Amino acid sequence: MWGPLASVGPILGNGTVGAAVHADGRKSPWAIVNGTPRQHTDDWGPAESLARPAPPVAVLTSRRTASAAEAVTIAFRGRPDTRTFEQATAGVPTANAPYRLSDGALVILTVAREADRTGHLYNGPITPDVEVPETRGDDQALEAATDWLKTRKACRTP
């Protein structure tokens, strides 16, 4: 999830945008600092500044939005002037960790659930703000998102 978070970091804004929440209640926050994600000592380098800070954002999700993509979706939850569109996600908003076994095999286990910037914990599919039924050959979700963005003052041309 860190690469995708790095690519949208400037749009997410600075501060805590989510967290991994472990069974014992311990939280590992995901933070954006100067447009780049930080966790422990990760440094993605400087991010480009946005021409227009804090733009409106429409996030499209579907059943194929899973795992790391759900983490990015969660990072946008609670962000001002942001809406999600289309369908619920796959339902695996979890943090995973690799463990090496004595025979050299590697097993990756789920170690935490994910929470958004408001502290809301996700445990299954993430329902969009605006549900749009799936239709073949027609992208109604994209149209709905575009129509909503057109209502945002920052998206209108003078």
Side-chain angles (χ1 to χ4, degrees), residues 13-92:
N14 286 330
T16 299
V17 297
V21 181
H22 301 268
D24 63 3
R26 184 175 45 91
K27 294 179 182 177
S28 299
W30 319 326
I32 302 295
V33 178
N34 297 322
T36 62
R38 300 282 194 263
Q39 185 189 41
H40 311 297
T41 60
D42 292 341
D43 185 1
W44 290 85
E48 292 291 324
S49 297
L50 298 176
R52 292 184 180 173
V57 175
V59 178
L60 301 179
T61 63
S62 73
R63 295 182 311 265
R64 293 181 300 250
T65 306
S67 195
E70 285 174 302
V72 174
T73 300
I74 287 168
F76 276 104
R77 295 291 236 183
R79 180 190 177 275
D81 221 6
T82 301
R83 274 202 177 155
T84 52
F85 293 84
E86 199 163 351
Q87 298 169 5
T89 65
V92 287

Side-chain angles (χ1 to χ4, degrees), residues 99-114:
Y99 292 93
R100 182 76 52 196
L101 301 179
S102 60
D103 66 356
L106 183 70
V107 62
I108 299 174
L109 299 175
T110 297
V111 296
R113 293 187 297 164
E114 296 172 342

